[in-house]
Each structure stands twice: as structure tokens, then as C-alpha cells.
Amino acid sequence: MDSRGQVSLEYLLLILVVLLVLGGVTIPLIGSSIEASTDVSRASDAKVAVQTLADAADIVYSNGPGAKRTVSFYIPVDGALIFANNSVIFTVTYSNGTRSNITAPTQYNLTSQSVNVQRGWYRAVVQWPLNSTTVLITNITRT
């Protein structure tokens, strides 16, 4: 047998083994980094959604009784929007099963009930009715 051919075959086998080892190590790392970036994206989208509602409530409050504002926002995962005291809260569940409350504060107490939402675009009406002492977030509908 030709010694140069044997050396070439040994190098090919060595390269194959190195590729298998690298593939076995990097593929799980890539999977976990994709999950982590997806979690960051979901949390960021949830923060934008609750901040949009909180900002709309603050603008309506600044404009006084009779003010009304309609806003659109994106919900990244199924969950519940909670309007409690001076904040808008949405709970995000991450890929590892942990949960985090995404909160946006408002300058004024909000009146609304918790609303279960699914992933997608929504529209909400934020208003301060005449002869009322509270800002309401109503008509949260999927668009």
C-alpha cells in the first residue's frame, strides 16, 4: 500500500473525528443561545406592550377628564395583563419554565380587570370618563 495514501486516509479520519467532537459540543450551545435570545425578545416585546399602555394612561391622565386614547400593542406570549394600583403588569414564562413579571409604572391608579390575552396584536382604549375619578383601560381587542 502507498504510504502517502495511508497518511491521507489517516488525516481524513482525524478530521472526521475532530468535526464530530466539535459538532457534539457546539450544537447544544447553539440551541441554548437561540432559546436565550428568544427569551430576551419576548421580554422586550412584553416590556414595550406594558409601557405602551402605561404611557397612554399617563397621557390621558395629563389631559384630564374626558380624554381618550386608543393604542395598539403586541403581546409576545399567552398570559394575562394585570392593572394593579399604579402599574401595568404582564407575566412572561421563559423557555426554562421560570416566570418574570414585566411591570410599567403609571402616575395614576388604573381601573380595569385582568385580561387574559394570547400572542398577537391588540388594541385598547384608555379613557378618563367625564364625572369620574379614575382612568379606565377598556375594549382590549385582538386586531
Side-chain angles (χ1 to χ4, degrees), residues 6-7 11 46 69 74 80 98 107 120 126 132 141:
Q6 182 180 354
V7 171
Y11 279 129
R69 185 170 183 94
Y74 177 73
T98 60
Q107 297 176 9
V126 182
S132 174
T141 55

Side-chain angles (χ1 to χ4, degrees), residues 35 39 42 91-100:
E35 288 176 359
D39 288 343
R42 287 179 180 157
T91 302
V92 175
T93 303
Y94 299 115
S95 58
N96 64 1
T98 60
R99 293 179 180 224
S100 175

